[in-house]
Amino acid sequence: MRDITLSELQDIMRECAGEDEGAASLEKSAHLSFEELGYDSLALLETQSRITRDYGVTLPEEGLAEITTPQALVDYVNGLVRSA
């Protein structure tokens, strides 16, 4: 398994939310909340499924509810990847 980057998370989230390539870069806004970035709970659930599939880690729903920014999600996923 490998770490996830902000760029990879951005690609996943864009696909899950149905955004085009013109959306704001997560690398520039990694500490803004998903809500501020316009991502709803459905997009986050789809993102959770994709991360589980692509990175081989299980993201518990209760843990995901506490993660509010892209940077926090990347850090959380990478912690799971490294401990697996």
Side-chain angles (χ1 to χ4, degrees):
M1 289 184 271
R2 62 184 174 81
D3 285 356
I4 186 172
T5 65
L6 278 169
S7 178
E8 291 167 331
L9 176 62
Q10 178 174 293
D11 291 343
I12 291 169
M13 294 193 77
R14 282 182 176 167
E15 289 173 18
C16 292
E19 291 181 341
D20 62 22
E21 294 294 318
S25 169
L26 288 186
E27 292 179 4
K28 295 178 182 176
S29 52
H31 296 288
L32 293 177
S33 72
F34 290 116
E35 185 176 313
E36 290 174 299
L37 294 168
Y39 292 107
D40 62 14
S41 59
L42 185 58
L44 292 175
L45 286 173
E46 181 65 25
T47 298
Q48 174 188 15
S49 295
R50 284 283 307 277
I51 289 171
T52 297
R53 185 189 78 202
D54 295 352
Y55 292 87
V57 296
T58 301
L59 302 173
E61 287 186 37
E62 62 276 359
L64 191 61
E66 297 175 14
I67 299 170
T68 59
T69 68
Q71 185 63 59
L73 181 55
V74 165
D75 293 343
Y76 185 77
V77 170
N78 288 340
L80 291 173
V81 167
R82 291 176 190 143
S83 67

